[in-house]
Amino acid sequence: DAMVIQNPRYQVTQFGKPVTLSCSQTLNHNVMYWYQQKSSQAPKLLFHYYDKDFNNEADTPDNFQSRRPNTSFCFLDIRSPGLGDAAMYLCATSRTGRGGGQPQHFGDGTRLSIL
Amino acid sequence: AQRVTQPEKLLSVFKGAPVELKCNYSYSGSPELFWYVQYSRQRLQLLLRHISRESIKGFTADLNKGETSFHLKKPFAQEEDSAMYYCALLYGGATNKLIFGTGTLLAVQP
C-alpha cells in the first residue's frame, strides 16, 4: 500500500545529543510536513517542504532543522534536544491540486524521549 | 490569524445516542475544513472534508459560514467510533497547511 512511513517508532536520546527522525513516502506527493504533538495537544506544524523549497513556521525554534534529499524522503534534525522537545513527531504528505485543498496523509509518528 | 476551537476535550455518550462534536473556526479567507480521526494506536487519518459533502462511517459535517462552525454529527453512535477527533482548517494556499483544533475524545459506552 502507498503510505507514509516513519522510523523509528520510538527514539530515546540524551539531553543535548543530536537526533534525526526519518520519514519516507510512496505516494509521490510533492509537499511534506513535520508536526510536533505534545501530550493532550493539537499537532503543531514545524515546517514543510514544497518540492525542494523549505518553509519554516515563524515560531519553530532554530534547534529544529529539516532535509529533503529527494521526493520520497524527509528528515527532521534536532541539533541539541532539550527536555521540552520530548513529544510525538508526525510526518505528513499532500499533493497540491486544483479545485480545493488536498488532504494530508500521516505517518504513525515517532515518539521522542529525552533522558 | 486563523484559529480552530474544539470546546470539548471529552464527549461521552451511550451506544445508539446521537453525537455532535463541535468545531468553530476563525479565518479571514474562504475556509476549507476537515475532520481527522485517530483511533487507539493508529495514525491520524482523514475522516471527511467539507467540500466533498459526503457521509463517512455515518458521520456528516456541514460548514456554516454564518456561525463559523463545522460540527461533526452522527445520529447513532457505535462503540467503534470511540477515538480522538480533530477539526482542521486549511490555510497557506497551494501548500495545504493545516491548523488543528485541540481535539475531542469521543467515548462511546456500551
Side-chain angles (χ1 to χ4, degrees):
Chain A
D1 286 339
M3 55 196 306
V4 181
I5 302 165
Q6 291 187 244
N7 284 304
R9 290 293 303 274
Y10 302 91
Q11 176 73 56
V12 181
T13 191
Q14 292 178 332
F15 181 93
K17 185 174 181 180
V19 65
T20 294
L21 309 182
S22 168
C23 177
S24 65
Q25 57 136 337
T26 60
L27 296 161
N28 203 32
H29 285 169
N30 58 331
V31 191
M32 295 186 76
Y33 312 81
W34 279 103
Y35 290 86
Q36 180 191 63
Q37 186 177 25
K38 296 188 175 181
S39 181
S40 303
Q41 295 185 21
K44 179 179 178 299
L45 183 64
L46 295 172
F47 27 60
H48 73 278
Y49 271 95
Y50 186 121
D51 294 322
K52 296 181 180 179
D53 294 331
F54 176 72
N55 298 272
N56 207 24
E57 293 300 298
D59 56 354
T60 298
D62 292 339
N63 200 24
F64 291 85
Q65 303 288 323
S66 185
R67 296 170 284 135
R68 189 179 186 187
N70 53 52
T71 301
S72 300
F73 286 87
C74 195
F75 301 98
L76 169 62
D77 300 308
I78 308 177
R79 289 190 298 190
S80 181
L83 297 178
D85 297 329
M88 176 72 86
Y89 289 88
L90 301 173
C91 175
T93 72
S94 81
R95 171 173 51 88
T96 54
R98 297 165 293 177
Q102 297 298 312
Q104 293 184 16
H105 299 256
F106 285 82
D108 288 324
T110 294
R111 183 166 296 283
L112 179 65
S113 299
I114 313 295
L115 300 180
Chain B
Q2 56 275 352
R3 187 169 63 234
V4 176
T5 303
Q6 293 180 251
E8 302 141 328
K9 283 194 171 183
L10 171 66
L11 182 64
S12 182
V13 301
F14 287 104
K15 177 182 173 181
V19 170
E20 183 179 51
L21 302 173
K22 290 184 167 45
C23 172
N24 288 89
Y25 67 91
S26 174
Y27 186 54
S28 57
S30 182
E32 293 193 51
L33 288 140
F34 301 80
W35 276 99
Y36 280 80
V37 61
Q38 190 167 29
Y39 300 101
S40 180
R41 302 183 187 281
Q42 294 188 27
R43 65 183 60 190
L44 197 58
Q45 57 188 286
L46 178 69
L47 180 62
L48 55 79
R49 46 195 294 205
H50 92 269
I51 62 171
S52 300
R53 302 182 67 83
E54 58 198 345
S55 173
I56 303 292
K57 299 184 179 182
F59 285 97
T60 59
D62 291 320
L63 178 62
N64 185 324
K65 292 187 179 180
E67 295 183 358
T68 60
S69 68
F70 187 56
H71 302 328
L72 183 67
K73 299 178 183 179
K74 184 170 183 177
F76 307 104
Q78 303 298 313
E79 289 181 68
E80 55 265 30
D81 296 328
S82 296
M84 180 68 86
Y85 291 81
Y86 292 97
C87 182
L89 169 71
L90 187 143
Y91 71 106
T95 57
N96 297 331
K97 296 199 294 185
L98 291 174
I99 181 168
F100 286 87
T102 49
T104 298
L105 179 62
L106 174 65
V108 182
Q109 311 295 332

